[in-house]
Amino acid sequence: MKIIGTGSALPKKVVTNDDLAQFLDTSDEWILPRTGIRSRHVITDERLEDLGKDAALLALKDAGLTPGDIDLFICSNVVNEYLTPSLSCVISAAIGMHCPAIDINCACPGFIYAMDIAENYFLAGKVSNVLIVCAEEPTRMTSWTDRSTCVLFGDGAGAAVFTKGDNVKAIKLNSQPSVIHLYETRPLLPTPFITRHETEQPLHMDGREVFKFAVSTSLRDIEEILRKTGTSVDEIDFFMIHQANLRIIEGIRRGLGAPESKFPSNIYDHGNSSSASCPILLDECNRKGLFKRGDKLVFSAFGAGLLSAVAFLEW
Ligand code: COA
């Protein structure tokens, strides 16, 4: 498959580190050097499905397609208002799309997991065009009294349209299953029969463990797919790394020995938007005209699960 269109949508409200310092024991001096984040877009009155819809329509327009041209819609999402139907169905209803619709919850690497599913549908000859939307509102998952997590996240949606092609060179998915390092729980509705205790736990993260996992798996898997495809680091034009923390991106960059110019980043004014981060970055780079046909792009993302994934494709 190959990418023929991208889109993204962000909430209008921008919250700076100084804004956070108004109600949290934190500061721009703490957050910026440790994360690379100065501000983030935060959902106020928007609905996540509307951001997903806007990103989808922009990607379809960029691809020159209509909703009726799409054969499969994959939506990557961790949390939204609807437990059912799936967010892909909610967005499909909003844009008048009638193809099979699947949601996946693979946390931050969701865009790459969705690409892997799509690529297999193409290889099976079952589809001509696939739409992927990653829509996330992680600011609704954290406790806003927990300064170690809430300062890291921002909301948004990113989308990409894929058609037949031979541009995907390799995808590697990875899991190192562990619940305790990064999780959130919420009680379900009570019943007359339930006897076990359920707790509401806002997003809990062992920052250092996740940091180490991110850098080590990303480096290992990027090096593996480059080795398997006989490609050198120098031949890659852009490394599209999940925008979780600038120091994670820096750790990966230094490990690969590649120049900063090959690592586009928007974390400064976006924060971590979970699986939406890679397609939002992709769309922003595309709209700036950063890519030319044939450019070699490596994606890498990591997060709850613990899951991670890398993909190597040509623009
Ligand atoms: N403002 C001010 N102080 C803060 C703070 C904040 N926003 N968040 C934490 N601190 C404090 C802690 O309370 C701690 O204080 P103490 O030493 O008095 O206990 C101190 O800063 C150090 O905390 P620690 O958690 O050890 O900091 P760190 O250097 O590991 O950085 C992260 C924290 C979260 C920035 C870092 O671990 C990280 O980025 N991890 C990866 C997280 C990530 O990207 N996850 C998503 C992947 S999908």
Side-chain angles (χ1 to χ4, degrees):
M1 63 182 189
K2 65 178 178 189
I3 299 174
I4 54 165
T6 65
S8 61
L10 298 168
K12 59 186 174 303
K13 171 93 177 159
V14 171
V15 176
T16 65
N17 293 344
D18 290 337
D19 294 334
L20 294 177
Q22 302 294 314
F23 61 90
L24 267 180
D25 182 13
T26 190
S27 63
D28 186 54
E29 291 69 34
W30 194 95
I31 300 169
L32 186 62
R34 282 175 184 78
T35 67
I37 302 166
R38 172 146 279 164
S39 63
R40 68 287 288 147
H41 291 258
V42 173
I43 276 189
T44 52
D45 59 353
E46 297 95 347
R47 292 188 177 277
L48 189 64
E49 57 267 34
D50 292 333
L51 296 180
K53 179 186 86 174
D54 291 348
L57 291 175
L58 286 166
L60 286 166
K61 187 171 176 213
D62 191 35
L65 298 182
T66 66
D69 296 318
I70 298 298
D71 304 306
L72 175 68
F73 176 27
I74 308 172
C75 194
S76 166
N77 169 256
V78 177
V79 161
N80 75 91
E81 243 177 293
Y82 287 95
L83 288 176
T84 194
S86 63
L87 189 59
S88 52
C89 287
V90 176
I91 295 173
S92 291
I95 65 177
M97 194 161 63
H98 298 277
C99 64
I102 310 170
D103 271 23
I104 60 168
N105 178 348
C106 299
C108 303
F111 182 58
I112 305 175
Y113 271 73
M115 283 203 284
D116 190 58
I117 295 168
E119 170 74 344
N120 282 293
Y121 270 82
F122 278 104
L123 292 173
K126 293 174 84 171
V127 291
S128 297
N129 300 302
V130 174
L131 171 65
I132 295 175
V133 171
C134 302
E136 304 279 13
E137 45 187 335
T139 68
R140 307 298 305 281
M141 300 172 64
T142 58
S143 159
W144 283 80
T145 59
D146 176 4
R147 63 181 183 175
S148 67
T149 55
C150 72
V151 305
L152 302 172
F153 294 98
D155 305 319
V161 177
F162 297 80
T163 198
K164 288 177 181 170
D166 187 22
N167 292 33
V168 173
K169 303 303 167 194
I171 298 180
K172 180 170 185 227
L173 308 183
N174 169 65
S175 80
Q176 188 179 302
S178 156
V179 174
I180 54 167
H181 295 311
L182 189 45
Y183 71 95
E184 176 178 2
T185 60
R186 58 183 163 181
L188 302 182
L189 292 177
T191 77
F193 313 108
I194 199 81
T195 54
R196 65 195 161 85
H197 179 62
E198 292 177 336
T199 52
E200 183 168 282
Q201 168 65 53
L203 193 75
H204 166 86
M205 181 172 67
D206 295 334
R208 291 194 174 185
E209 281 305 316
V210 177
F211 193 109
K212 282 188 274 179
F213 168 76
V215 176
S216 60
T217 59
S218 178
L219 269 177
R220 183 196 65 204
D221 292 343
I222 291 174
E223 282 166 354
E224 184 182 316
I225 61 166
L226 292 184
R227 197 170 52 247
K228 281 192 172 157
T229 54
T231 313
S232 70
V233 168
D234 290 347
E235 287 174 90
I236 301 301
D237 296 287
F238 297 105
F239 291 92
M240 310 291 289
I241 311 292
H242 168 45
Q243 304 288 295
N245 182 319
L246 196 59
R247 288 189 302 149
I248 292 178
I249 301 169
E250 266 299 294
I252 296 165
R253 187 186 73 74
R254 271 194 243 107
L256 292 169
E260 267 178 48
S261 57
K262 290 190 174 186
F263 288 74
S265 176
N266 61 14
I267 192 164
Y268 182 76
D269 53 7
H270 286 56
N272 177 351
S273 56
S274 187
S275 72
S277 114
C278 280
I280 291 172
L281 181 65
L282 177 72
D283 181 51
E284 291 180 353
C285 291
N286 179 24
R287 281 170 200 274
K288 280 184 204 149
L290 192 66
F291 309 133
K292 56 184 188 312
R293 190 178 290 273
D295 272 357
K296 293 181 170 55
L297 273 52
V298 166
F299 288 86
S300 172
F302 29 77
L306 299 171
L307 297 179
S308 65
V310 295
F312 169 23
L313 51 92
E314 278 178 7
W315 184 249

